[in-house]
Amino acid sequence: MNRQLLILALLLVTTVSFGQIANDNTLKAEIDGKEFTTQPRRVRIGNFWWITANTVKPDKSLRIWLGSYDKREIIETGTYLVVDADKPDTKENKKKVEDLGKYKGIAAIKYVEETREPRMEYHVGKSQNGDETIDVKMGADGFLEATFSTNLVGSYWKEKGTATVFGGMGRLINKMEDKAITKASGYDSAIDPEGNGYKEQDKQDQIVIKNGVVKLKFK
């Protein structure tokens, strides 16, 4: 136990001591009336590249995926249709993009916020099929610029009692390690509650994002 406490203490020091690796990217938005400003990055999650923007204390992660309806990673200047973050590549979305002819592709947005430390509870927001859009400009300098506003469907997640009890000190150490990685690197390490020992609560709301502006080195 003494060894575990020592490791936990070292992780806490790491979380406090390190700052995110700087870059030239910027993201600004208003989330539920509060300013959200950070330096976004591109990160591969599963099979796809996402723009991910994170802050800490509490941990927050805003992710944006841009692509074609068949999930190709080709980004062009134009307007992208925001769709259901869980089911972006449906036949209905494909038909809408093809029939209207005014969209370059589709976009998905996800927001995760830690509401009780250390990563005990979360507020999660996901984009839906609501005819919202993201405007994208690919600059000659290799920077992607995007502007957006969106209403996400919000859900609440709480760590399961069994995960807390059976995970014990090891689970707590893993969470603190992930928080330290998130802070030090700028990449959101293991921040998703879904499928990670958390239970969705019987409560939904909206997460409102306004005046979102992203500038990110893409090439």
Side-chain angles (χ1 to χ4, degrees):
M1 178 62 72
N2 288 339
R3 180 176 176 274
Q4 290 178 324
L5 288 173
L6 177 60
I7 293 172
L8 180 58
L10 288 172
L11 288 171
L12 285 168
V13 171
T14 302
T15 303
V16 172
S17 299
F18 284 86
Q20 289 187 1
I21 299 170
N23 60 51
D24 294 326
N25 305 327
T26 58
L27 183 144
K28 295 182 179 180
E30 184 182 298
I31 301 180
D32 283 342
K34 298 179 181 178
E35 184 176 332
F36 181 82
T37 303
T38 189
Q39 295 177 306
R41 289 155 170 79
R42 286 188 78 201
V43 59
R44 181 167 286 279
I45 302 173
N47 297 321
F48 312 108
W49 284 102
W50 288 73
I51 299 169
T52 180
N54 310 294
T55 60
V56 295
K57 290 186 135 180
D59 292 347
K60 299 179 182 180
S61 172
L62 177 61
R63 298 175 186 164
I64 301 171
W65 177 78
L66 298 167
S68 63
Y69 57 80
D70 56 2
K71 297 185 180 180
R72 290 180 299 134
E73 302 294 334
I74 300 174
I75 309 301
E76 300 177 278
T77 295
T79 300
Y80 288 72
L81 178 66
V82 176
V83 298
D84 187 331
D86 284 331
K87 300 175 182 178
D89 57 338
T90 63
K91 292 180 179 179
E92 291 77 13
N93 290 339
K94 176 180 177 180
K95 186 174 187 303
K96 192 167 189 176
V97 170
E98 289 181 328
D99 288 353
L100 294 178
K102 62 181 181 180
Y103 300 118
K104 288 295 183 180
I106 57 177
I109 303 172
K110 184 175 183 179
Y111 176 71
V112 180
E113 179 176 351
E114 174 191 49
T115 56
R116 182 185 172 196
E117 292 191 275
R119 296 190 175 182
M120 296 289 290
E121 298 181 15
Y122 288 100
H123 192 193
V124 176
K126 295 182 182 180
S127 60
Q128 302 294 304
N129 296 321
D131 293 323
E132 297 175 336
T133 59
I134 294 179
D135 290 321
V136 174
K137 179 181 178 181
M138 293 298 299
D141 59 358
F143 274 91
L144 173 150
E145 293 186 38
T147 57
F148 64 99
S149 292
T150 183
N151 293 330
L152 307 179
V153 172
S155 59
Y156 291 82
W157 297 74
K158 185 176 182 180
E159 189 172 44
K160 295 177 181 178
T162 52
T164 304
V165 172
F166 293 111
M169 182 61 72
R171 182 175 174 88
L172 178 59
I173 289 173
N174 288 339
K175 288 196 288 185
M176 296 310 299
E177 183 179 34
D178 287 327
K179 286 173 74 67
I181 293 170
T182 298
K183 181 173 178 61
S185 68
Y187 293 99
D188 45 1
S189 181
I191 199 171
D192 281 324
E194 297 170 79
N196 291 318
Y198 297 83
K199 181 179 180 180
E200 185 174 3
Q201 304 300 293
D202 187 21
K203 178 182 178 182
Q204 282 195 340
D205 59 8
Q206 274 197 335
I207 296 175
V208 180
I209 302 178
K210 296 181 180 179
N211 305 317
V213 180
V214 182
K215 185 175 182 180
L216 179 138
K217 187 71 172 180
F218 215 76
K219 297 179 181 179

Short mmCIF file of all heavy atoms in Angstrom, two decimals, residues 72-93:
data_model
loop_
_atom_site.label_atom_id
_atom_site.label_comp_id
_atom_site.label_asym_id
_atom_site.label_seq_id
_atom_site.Cartn_x
_atom_site.Cartn_y
_atom_site.Cartn_z
N ARG A 72 -13.96 8.86 -45.68
CA ARG A 72 -12.63 9.16 -46.20
C ARG A 72 -12.10 10.42 -45.54
O ARG A 72 -12.85 11.34 -45.24
CB ARG A 72 -12.67 9.33 -47.72
CG ARG A 72 -12.93 8.04 -48.48
CD ARG A 72 -12.97 8.28 -49.98
NE ARG A 72 -14.03 9.22 -50.32
CZ ARG A 72 -13.87 10.25 -51.15
NH1 ARG A 72 -12.71 10.49 -51.69
NH2 ARG A 72 -14.89 11.05 -51.43
N GLU A 73 -10.80 10.47 -45.33
CA GLU A 73 -10.18 11.59 -44.63
C GLU A 73 -9.71 12.66 -45.61
O GLU A 73 -8.57 13.11 -45.58
CB GLU A 73 -9.00 11.09 -43.79
CG GLU A 73 -9.37 10.03 -42.78
CD GLU A 73 -10.28 10.56 -41.68
OE1 GLU A 73 -10.24 11.77 -41.40
OE2 GLU A 73 -11.03 9.76 -41.11
N ILE A 74 -10.58 13.07 -46.51
CA ILE A 74 -10.25 14.13 -47.47
C ILE A 74 -11.02 15.39 -47.08
O ILE A 74 -12.25 15.41 -47.11
CB ILE A 74 -10.61 13.70 -48.91
CG1 ILE A 74 -9.83 12.43 -49.29
CG2 ILE A 74 -10.33 14.82 -49.89
CD1 ILE A 74 -10.23 11.85 -50.64
N ILE A 75 -10.29 16.45 -46.71
CA ILE A 75 -10.92 17.66 -46.24
C ILE A 75 -10.74 18.76 -47.29
O ILE A 75 -9.62 19.06 -47.71
CB ILE A 75 -10.31 18.14 -44.90
CG1 ILE A 75 -10.30 16.98 -43.89
CG2 ILE A 75 -11.09 19.32 -44.35
CD1 ILE A 75 -11.65 16.41 -43.59
N GLU A 76 -11.85 19.34 -47.73
CA GLU A 76 -11.84 20.41 -48.71
C GLU A 76 -12.54 21.64 -48.14
O GLU A 76 -13.35 21.54 -47.21
CB GLU A 76 -12.56 19.98 -49.99
CG GLU A 76 -11.96 18.76 -50.67
CD GLU A 76 -12.77 18.36 -51.89
OE1 GLU A 76 -13.80 17.67 -51.71
OE2 GLU A 76 -12.40 18.76 -53.01
N THR A 77 -12.24 22.80 -48.73
CA THR A 77 -12.94 24.02 -48.34
C THR A 77 -14.42 23.89 -48.68
O THR A 77 -14.79 23.43 -49.76
CB THR A 77 -12.34 25.22 -49.07
OG1 THR A 77 -10.99 25.41 -48.64
CG2 THR A 77 -13.14 26.49 -48.80
N GLY A 78 -15.29 24.28 -47.75
CA GLY A 78 -16.71 24.22 -47.98
C GLY A 78 -17.50 24.00 -46.71
O GLY A 78 -16.98 24.16 -45.60
N THR A 79 -18.76 23.62 -46.87
CA THR A 79 -19.67 23.43 -45.75
C THR A 79 -19.87 21.94 -45.49
O THR A 79 -20.08 21.15 -46.41
CB THR A 79 -21.04 24.08 -46.05
OG1 THR A 79 -20.83 25.47 -46.27
CG2 THR A 79 -21.99 23.90 -44.89
N TYR A 80 -19.81 21.57 -44.21
CA TYR A 80 -19.97 20.17 -43.80
C TYR A 80 -21.23 20.04 -42.94
O TYR A 80 -21.47 20.84 -42.05
CB TYR A 80 -18.74 19.69 -43.02
CG TYR A 80 -17.53 19.50 -43.90
CD1 TYR A 80 -16.85 20.60 -44.42
CD2 TYR A 80 -17.07 18.23 -44.25
CE1 TYR A 80 -15.76 20.45 -45.26
CE2 TYR A 80 -15.98 18.06 -45.09
CZ TYR A 80 -15.33 19.17 -45.59
OH TYR A 80 -14.25 19.00 -46.44
N LEU A 81 -22.02 19.02 -43.23
CA LEU A 81 -23.26 18.77 -42.51
C LEU A 81 -22.96 18.05 -41.19
O LEU A 81 -22.33 16.99 -41.19
CB LEU A 81 -24.19 17.91 -43.36
CG LEU A 81 -25.53 17.52 -42.74
CD1 LEU A 81 -26.41 18.75 -42.54
CD2 LEU A 81 -26.25 16.48 -43.62
N VAL A 82 -23.40 18.62 -40.07
CA VAL A 82 -23.21 18.00 -38.77
C VAL A 82 -24.27 16.91 -38.58
O VAL A 82 -25.46 17.15 -38.76
CB VAL A 82 -23.32 19.04 -37.63
CG1 VAL A 82 -23.21 18.36 -36.27
CG2 VAL A 82 -22.22 20.09 -37.78
N VAL A 83 -23.82 15.71 -38.22
CA VAL A 83 -24.72 14.56 -38.11
C VAL A 83 -24.55 13.88 -36.75
O VAL A 83 -23.73 14.28 -35.93
CB VAL A 83 -24.46 13.55 -39.25
CG1 VAL A 83 -24.73 14.19 -40.61
CG2 VAL A 83 -23.01 13.02 -39.18
N ASP A 84 -25.34 12.83 -36.55
CA ASP A 84 -25.31 12.04 -35.33
C ASP A 84 -23.90 11.50 -35.09
O ASP A 84 -23.35 10.78 -35.93
CB ASP A 84 -26.30 10.88 -35.47
CG ASP A 84 -26.49 10.09 -34.18
OD1 ASP A 84 -25.55 10.02 -33.38
OD2 ASP A 84 -27.58 9.51 -33.99
N ALA A 85 -23.30 11.84 -33.95
CA ALA A 85 -21.93 11.44 -33.67
C ALA A 85 -21.77 9.92 -33.56
O ALA A 85 -20.69 9.39 -33.82
CB ALA A 85 -21.45 12.10 -32.38
N ASP A 86 -22.84 9.22 -33.19
CA ASP A 86 -22.77 7.77 -33.06
C ASP A 86 -23.02 7.05 -34.38
O ASP A 86 -22.56 5.92 -34.57
CB ASP A 86 -23.79 7.28 -32.02
CG ASP A 86 -23.34 7.55 -30.60
OD1 ASP A 86 -22.12 7.59 -30.37
OD2 ASP A 86 -24.21 7.74 -29.73
N LYS A 87 -23.77 7.70 -35.29
CA LYS A 87 -24.12 7.07 -36.56
C LYS A 87 -23.94 8.07 -37.70
O LYS A 87 -24.92 8.53 -38.30
CB LYS A 87 -25.57 6.56 -36.53
CG LYS A 87 -25.83 5.54 -35.44
CD LYS A 87 -27.31 5.17 -35.39
CE LYS A 87 -27.59 4.17 -34.28
NZ LYS A 87 -29.04 3.85 -34.20
N PRO A 88 -22.69 8.41 -38.02
CA PRO A 88 -22.47 9.45 -39.03
C PRO A 88 -22.67 8.98 -40.47
O PRO A 88 -23.07 9.77 -41.33
CB PRO A 88 -21.00 9.83 -38.81
CG PRO A 88 -20.38 8.60 -38.24
CD PRO A 88 -21.44 7.96 -37.39
N ASP A 89 -22.43 7.71 -40.76
CA ASP A 89 -22.38 7.25 -42.15
C ASP A 89 -23.62 6.45 -42.57
O ASP A 89 -23.53 5.40 -43.19
CB ASP A 89 -21.12 6.41 -42.37
CG ASP A 89 -21.06 5.22 -41.41
OD1 ASP A 89 -21.71 5.27 -40.36
OD2 ASP A 89 -20.35 4.25 -41.72
N THR A 90 -24.80 6.95 -42.22
CA THR A 90 -26.03 6.27 -42.59
C THR A 90 -26.39 6.54 -44.05
O THR A 90 -25.90 7.49 -44.66
CB THR A 90 -27.19 6.72 -41.70
OG1 THR A 90 -27.42 8.13 -41.92
CG2 THR A 90 -26.89 6.48 -40.23
N LYS A 91 -27.29 5.73 -44.59
CA LYS A 91 -27.76 5.93 -45.96
C LYS A 91 -28.49 7.27 -46.10
O LYS A 91 -28.40 7.94 -47.12
CB LYS A 91 -28.70 4.79 -46.36
CG LYS A 91 -28.01 3.43 -46.50
CD LYS A 91 -29.00 2.36 -46.91
CE LYS A 91 -28.30 1.01 -47.06
NZ LYS A 91 -29.27 -0.06 -47.43
N GLU A 92 -29.19 7.65 -45.02
CA GLU A 92 -29.94 8.91 -45.05
C GLU A 92 -28.98 10.10 -45.14
O GLU A 92 -29.23 11.04 -45.92
CB GLU A 92 -30.80 9.04 -43.80
CG GLU A 92 -31.98 8.08 -43.72
CD GLU A 92 -31.58 6.67 -43.33
OE1 GLU A 92 -30.42 6.48 -42.88
OE2 GLU A 92 -32.40 5.76 -43.50
N ASN A 93 -27.90 10.06 -44.38
CA ASN A 93 -26.92 11.15 -44.44
C ASN A 93 -26.23 11.20 -45.80
O ASN A 93 -26.01 12.29 -46.36
CB ASN A 93 -25.87 10.99 -43.33
CG ASN A 93 -26.44 11.25 -41.96
OD1 ASN A 93 -27.46 11.91 -41.81
ND2 ASN A 93 -25.78 10.73 -40.94
#
